Short mmCIF file of all heavy atoms in Angstrom, two decimals:
data_model
loop_
_atom_site.label_atom_id
_atom_site.label_comp_id
_atom_site.label_asym_id
_atom_site.label_seq_id
_atom_site.Cartn_x
_atom_site.Cartn_y
_atom_site.Cartn_z
N PRO A 84 14.10 -17.13 0.50
CA PRO A 84 14.26 -18.58 0.67
C PRO A 84 12.97 -19.29 1.08
O PRO A 84 12.84 -20.50 0.88
CB PRO A 84 15.33 -18.70 1.76
CG PRO A 84 15.26 -17.40 2.50
CD PRO A 84 14.86 -16.37 1.51
N GLN A 85 12.04 -18.56 1.68
CA GLN A 85 10.73 -19.10 2.06
C GLN A 85 9.67 -18.05 1.75
O GLN A 85 9.97 -16.87 1.63
CB GLN A 85 10.66 -19.45 3.56
CG GLN A 85 11.49 -20.64 3.99
CD GLN A 85 12.90 -20.22 4.38
OE1 GLN A 85 13.15 -19.05 4.64
NE2 GLN A 85 13.82 -21.17 4.41
N ARG A 86 8.42 -18.52 1.67
CA ARG A 86 7.31 -17.58 1.51
C ARG A 86 6.86 -17.11 2.89
O ARG A 86 6.49 -17.92 3.73
CB ARG A 86 6.15 -18.24 0.76
CG ARG A 86 6.45 -18.49 -0.71
CD ARG A 86 5.23 -18.96 -1.47
NE ARG A 86 5.52 -19.02 -2.90
CZ ARG A 86 6.04 -20.08 -3.51
NH1 ARG A 86 6.32 -21.17 -2.82
NH2 ARG A 86 6.27 -20.05 -4.81
N ARG A 87 6.88 -15.79 3.09
CA ARG A 87 6.50 -15.23 4.39
C ARG A 87 5.57 -14.03 4.24
O ARG A 87 5.59 -13.13 5.05
CB ARG A 87 7.76 -14.83 5.17
CG ARG A 87 8.48 -16.00 5.83
CD ARG A 87 7.61 -16.62 6.91
NE ARG A 87 8.27 -17.72 7.58
CZ ARG A 87 8.19 -18.99 7.19
NH1 ARG A 87 7.49 -19.30 6.11
NH2 ARG A 87 8.79 -19.93 7.86
N ASN A 88 4.80 -14.00 3.16
CA ASN A 88 3.82 -12.95 2.94
C ASN A 88 4.51 -11.62 2.64
O ASN A 88 5.72 -11.53 2.52
CB ASN A 88 2.84 -12.85 4.12
CG ASN A 88 1.43 -12.49 3.70
OD1 ASN A 88 1.23 -11.60 2.89
ND2 ASN A 88 0.46 -13.20 4.26
N THR A 89 3.71 -10.53 2.57
CA THR A 89 4.25 -9.28 2.03
C THR A 89 5.04 -8.44 3.03
O THR A 89 5.91 -7.67 2.62
CB THR A 89 3.11 -8.42 1.45
OG1 THR A 89 2.09 -8.24 2.44
CG2 THR A 89 2.52 -9.08 0.22
N ALA A 90 4.78 -8.55 4.33
CA ALA A 90 5.50 -7.71 5.27
C ALA A 90 7.00 -8.03 5.31
O ALA A 90 7.84 -7.12 5.19
CB ALA A 90 4.89 -7.81 6.67
N PRO A 91 7.42 -9.30 5.45
CA PRO A 91 8.85 -9.59 5.39
C PRO A 91 9.48 -9.24 4.04
O PRO A 91 10.61 -8.77 3.99
CB PRO A 91 8.91 -11.10 5.66
CG PRO A 91 7.67 -11.38 6.46
CD PRO A 91 6.63 -10.49 5.87
N CYS A 92 8.73 -9.49 2.98
CA CYS A 92 9.21 -9.14 1.64
C CYS A 92 9.53 -7.65 1.56
O CYS A 92 10.62 -7.24 1.11
CB CYS A 92 8.14 -9.53 0.62
SG CYS A 92 8.28 -8.72 -0.99
N ILE A 93 8.59 -6.82 2.00
CA ILE A 93 8.75 -5.37 1.92
C ILE A 93 9.81 -4.88 2.90
O ILE A 93 10.59 -3.97 2.58
CB ILE A 93 7.39 -4.70 2.17
CG1 ILE A 93 6.47 -4.94 0.96
CG2 ILE A 93 7.54 -3.20 2.45
CD1 ILE A 93 5.03 -4.53 1.19
N ALA A 94 9.87 -5.48 4.09
CA ALA A 94 10.88 -5.08 5.06
C ALA A 94 12.29 -5.33 4.53
O ALA A 94 13.17 -4.46 4.64
CB ALA A 94 10.66 -5.84 6.37
N TRP A 95 12.51 -6.51 3.96
CA TRP A 95 13.84 -6.80 3.41
C TRP A 95 14.21 -5.78 2.33
O TRP A 95 15.30 -5.21 2.34
CB TRP A 95 13.89 -8.22 2.85
CG TRP A 95 15.22 -8.56 2.21
CD1 TRP A 95 16.41 -7.90 2.38
CD2 TRP A 95 15.47 -9.63 1.30
NE1 TRP A 95 17.41 -8.50 1.63
CE2 TRP A 95 16.86 -9.56 0.96
CE3 TRP A 95 14.69 -10.63 0.75
CZ2 TRP A 95 17.44 -10.47 0.08
CZ3 TRP A 95 15.28 -11.54 -0.12
CH2 TRP A 95 16.65 -11.46 -0.45
N ALA A 96 13.28 -5.52 1.42
CA ALA A 96 13.55 -4.57 0.35
C ALA A 96 13.88 -3.18 0.92
O ALA A 96 14.80 -2.49 0.43
CB ALA A 96 12.36 -4.48 -0.60
N ALA A 97 13.18 -2.78 1.97
CA ALA A 97 13.41 -1.45 2.55
C ALA A 97 14.81 -1.37 3.16
O ALA A 97 15.54 -0.38 2.94
CB ALA A 97 12.35 -1.16 3.61
N TYR A 98 15.19 -2.38 3.92
CA TYR A 98 16.52 -2.34 4.54
C TYR A 98 17.63 -2.44 3.48
O TYR A 98 18.69 -1.81 3.62
CB TYR A 98 16.65 -3.46 5.57
CG TYR A 98 16.04 -3.13 6.90
CD1 TYR A 98 14.71 -3.43 7.18
CD2 TYR A 98 16.78 -2.49 7.89
CE1 TYR A 98 14.13 -3.11 8.40
CE2 TYR A 98 16.21 -2.17 9.11
CZ TYR A 98 14.89 -2.48 9.36
OH TYR A 98 14.32 -2.14 10.57
N HIS A 99 17.37 -3.19 2.44
CA HIS A 99 18.35 -3.31 1.36
C HIS A 99 18.54 -1.96 0.65
O HIS A 99 19.67 -1.50 0.43
CB HIS A 99 17.89 -4.37 0.36
CG HIS A 99 18.84 -4.58 -0.78
ND1 HIS A 99 19.92 -5.44 -0.71
CD2 HIS A 99 18.89 -4.02 -2.03
CE1 HIS A 99 20.58 -5.41 -1.85
NE2 HIS A 99 19.97 -4.55 -2.67
#
Side-chain angles (χ1 to χ4, degrees):
Q85 290 89 18
R86 289 188 173 88
R87 281 295 181 269
N88 216 315
T89 54
C92 161
I93 289 170
W95 177 18
Y98 278 90
H99 181 86

